[in-house]
Amino acid sequence: MRATFHLKTLAVAVAALSVASVASAAGLDRSGQDITAFLQDGTYAETVYTYLDADVSGYDNDYVGKDKNAYQQGNKIDDIAESYDFFRYGVKADINDTFSVGVLYDEPFGAAADYSGDNNFVAQGDRDAVIKNVTGNPAYSEAVIDNVVIPTLQAQLAPGNPKNLTDEQLKEARANYLGVLTAKKAADAEEFTKGEGTNVEVRTENITAILGMKFGENKNFQVYGGPVAQQVQADVKLRGLAYSAATGYTAHISSDQDYGWLAGVSYSKPEIALKAALTYRSEIDHSSNIDETYPVVAALGGEANQGNKLDITTPKSVNFDFQTGINPTTLATAKVRWVPWSDFAIVPPLYNEVSKRATDDDKGLPLVSYDDDQWQVELGLAKRLTPALALSGNIGWDSGAGNPVTSLGPIEGYYSVGLGGKYDITENWAVSAGGKYLWFGDAEGQIPTGDIVSDFESNDGFVLGVKVSYQAQ
């Protein structure tokens, strides 16, 4: 006689955090954009709370010179990863045996990093150190620039070309003059922001409405889709020698809401507790107000404080969710997620405009970008021990989004292991809880120019989660 698996007793949430990602483990991914609440049978609702605490520490780069890839271990960088938490909500109901509706809330993307201490990511107020760093010349100091370099360049650039320089020599003299003025302005910013550390905070919120339609002889198939409303805001401060002439740069990206969409297809076979779903989420284009402060702009003859519009496109994604019964009390789960972070960039107008002059490139530089796409895989097993209690375990891998990676999130993916449990309080109400331990991949931090500015190794973190759910069939 063939065993019949009872989906209601086997459907064990992997402790509320099975798809919890890590800020900057790959790009800005956080929640994993889980939609499994909508795939539950009958009327279903859940509230999920996730807390993450990571230790991301390393060393800055003590090298001064022109080689972008050169690294010499410098000062210790204490933990830069701020602990963070977020909620996820979901509710779903069947209109009839064909149509279902649902509403989901999550916080899909974000970042939270804060540098402190005695390192190159904190403004130390050392003017000469900034001048050496910006010019790339260890022999330069403010006194040398004021008493030797600037008078020499002014003589070379005097009206009438008294030194009889060639056009190429005049061009080089102008570039050098602008360079030392920029270095002095960066030194001013270092002194003015003394004691402040580099800081970044990015937050997003999603609300997704979903309509699903089941079809097939036994209603095993379902297509679903709906609109997504997304809100995004961010704050960035760049401080210290690591950012060279960009030290003192500050940006506030005001909250903006825009819209995208979701679409997917699922298949279920209740007699063996099988469910499979493939979900696509679209890109979402934002046009936010941004206020930028860039001290060195004054040396270029521009306005150091500017307000503009910033276009940001949050990335599309594809999620695959799968579960199947192994025996009447055991469930196997698998999740795969892909996000093309290599297509993502944050390009503030003022920052980009200054970078065009620095690089002599019409395209300029983004403030944040990534080289690789993210792949995330998680495999799990859940075992029902009693009619009311089930335990689960999972292992996971995240590819990261490249190495070197932005200094605002210096992690190259992670490996993880998790344990959790679910307890049915009543026939309809359940609570799930669990934890996950993460081993972060080593990464070198770089600034937009490609210069290596830090090295982060042997870091880890943990995730804790709790979920309260209601289900009625």
Side-chain angles (χ1 to χ4, degrees):
M1 179 177 173
R2 187 169 133 190
T4 298
F5 299 174
H6 299 289
L7 184 61
K8 187 174 188 300
T9 55
L10 275 178
V12 182
V14 188
L17 51 90
S18 58
V19 293
S21 187
V22 183
S24 64
L28 304 175
D29 213 29
R30 268 199 175 172
S31 74
Q33 297 184 297
D34 182 38
I35 67 134
T36 54
F38 178 76
L39 302 176
Q40 302 300 317
D41 289 338
T43 300
Y44 180 82
E46 68 176 23
T47 297
V48 183
Y49 172 77
T50 302
Y51 173 83
L52 187 143
D53 192 357
D55 182 0
V56 181
S57 56
Y59 293 88
D60 66 19
N61 190 354
D62 206 32
Y63 171 80
V64 176
K66 299 293 187 180
D67 187 351
K68 292 178 179 292
N69 297 314
Y71 176 78
Q72 180 179 331
Q73 188 179 101
N75 295 321
K76 183 77 166 64
I77 300 172
D78 293 327
D79 183 15
I80 69 167
E82 294 188 297
S83 60
Y84 69 85
D85 58 2
F86 58 90
F87 283 90
R88 188 175 80 236
Y89 306 101
V91 61
K92 175 260 180 183
D94 293 329
I95 298 174
N96 52 41
D97 65 351
T98 299
F99 292 100
S100 302
V101 293
V103 177
L104 307 176
Y105 168 88
D106 75 333
E107 300 179 31
F109 309 119
D114 188 19
Y115 285 84
S116 61
D118 182 11
N119 58 70
N120 288 346
F121 295 86
V122 178
Q124 306 296 335
D126 189 336
R127 299 179 64 89
D128 282 349
V130 172
I131 287 171
K132 294 177 192 296
N133 184 278
V134 174
T135 61
N137 190 333
Y140 277 5
S141 66
E142 192 161 23
V144 169
I145 284 179
D146 287 341
N147 298 320
V148 179
V149 179
I150 288 181
T152 300
L153 292 171
Q154 286 175 333
Q156 292 175 342
L157 296 171
N161 192 7
K163 298 293 184 180
N164 295 316
L165 303 182
T166 65
D167 289 344
E168 189 62 32
Q169 289 172 326
L170 283 171
K171 182 179 178 181
E172 182 180 358
R174 290 191 189 98
N176 289 335
Y177 188 60
L178 184 60
V180 294
L181 291 182
T182 298
K184 289 195 66 176
K185 186 57 66 174
D188 291 342
E190 173 79 359
E191 185 177 45
F192 182 75
T193 61
K194 182 177 180 179
E196 295 182 13
T198 296
N199 179 275
V200 58
E201 182 170 1
V202 180
R203 295 197 76 100
T204 61
E205 296 178 280
N206 269 17
I207 296 180
T208 305
I210 307 178
L211 173 65
M213 184 183 73
K214 297 182 177 69
F215 62 96
E217 183 178 355
N218 298 311
K219 305 290 186 181
N220 294 110
F221 291 93
Q222 180 179 214
V223 292
Y224 53 89
V228 179
Q230 184 179 87
Q231 194 169 44
V232 60
Q233 63 183 42
D235 288 280
V236 177
K237 293 181 179 180
L238 306 183
R239 301 291 186 266
L241 291 178
Y243 295 101
S244 191
T247 183
Y249 175 83
T250 301
H252 171 67
I253 301 172
S254 299
S255 178
D256 176 75
Q257 181 172 298
D258 225 301
Y259 303 90
W261 53 274
L262 166 153
V265 59
S266 67
Y267 173 78
S268 65
K269 193 171 184 180
E271 58 267 30
I272 59 170
L274 187 150
K275 285 187 177 183
L278 187 66
T279 307
Y280 172 85
R281 286 181 178 267
S282 73
E283 298 177 335
I284 298 180
D285 297 324
H286 293 269
S287 183
S288 303
N289 292 321
I290 179 172
D291 295 311
E292 296 178 84
T293 299
Y294 204 153
V296 301
V297 174
L300 306 176
E303 175 56 54
N305 300 287
Q306 295 186 20
N308 290 292
K309 281 287 187 179
L310 171 68
D311 294 327
I312 298 177
T313 299
T314 55
K316 59 190 174 185
S317 65
V318 177
N319 280 23
F320 176 69
D321 296 279
F322 177 83
Q323 69 171 49
T324 187
I326 297 176
N327 60 48
T329 61
T330 307
L331 190 73
T333 63
K335 297 176 180 291
V336 180
R337 176 168 168 81
W338 171 76
V339 186
W341 284 108
S342 60
D343 296 336
F344 175 82
I346 299 177
V347 190
L350 179 58
Y351 184 94
N352 181 254
E353 187 60 34
V354 174
S355 74
K356 291 178 182 179
R357 299 198 188 189
T359 61
D360 199 24
D361 182 347
D362 290 340
K363 186 178 180 180
L365 298 172
L367 177 62
V368 176
S369 63
Y370 301 96
D371 293 331
D372 297 336
D373 297 343
Q374 171 195 14
W375 284 93
Q376 187 182 78
V377 180
E378 187 175 85
L379 304 175
L381 281 176
K383 177 73 172 178
R384 179 165 58 85
L385 302 181
T386 72
L389 177 64
L391 297 180
S392 62
N394 60 73
I395 57 173
W397 168 77
D398 187 297
S399 67
N403 185 31
V405 71
T406 172
S407 58
L408 301 178
I411 293 173
E412 188 189 18
Y414 64 84
Y415 290 94
S416 69
V417 59
L419 293 172
K422 178 184 177 186
Y423 182 75
D424 294 327
I425 303 170
T426 69
E427 181 182 356
N428 303 117
W429 289 93
V431 61
S432 305
K436 181 186 290 186
Y437 183 78
L438 308 116
W439 294 268
F440 298 133
D442 299 342
E444 292 179 312
Q446 67 177 1
I447 57 177
T449 59
D451 291 84
I452 300 301
V453 292
S454 59
D455 184 56
F456 289 79
E457 297 182 354
S458 303
N459 291 309
D460 58 7
F462 65 88
V463 186
L464 300 175
V466 62
K467 170 163 69 175
V468 177
S469 59
Y470 172 87
Q471 187 169 25
Q473 297 191 53

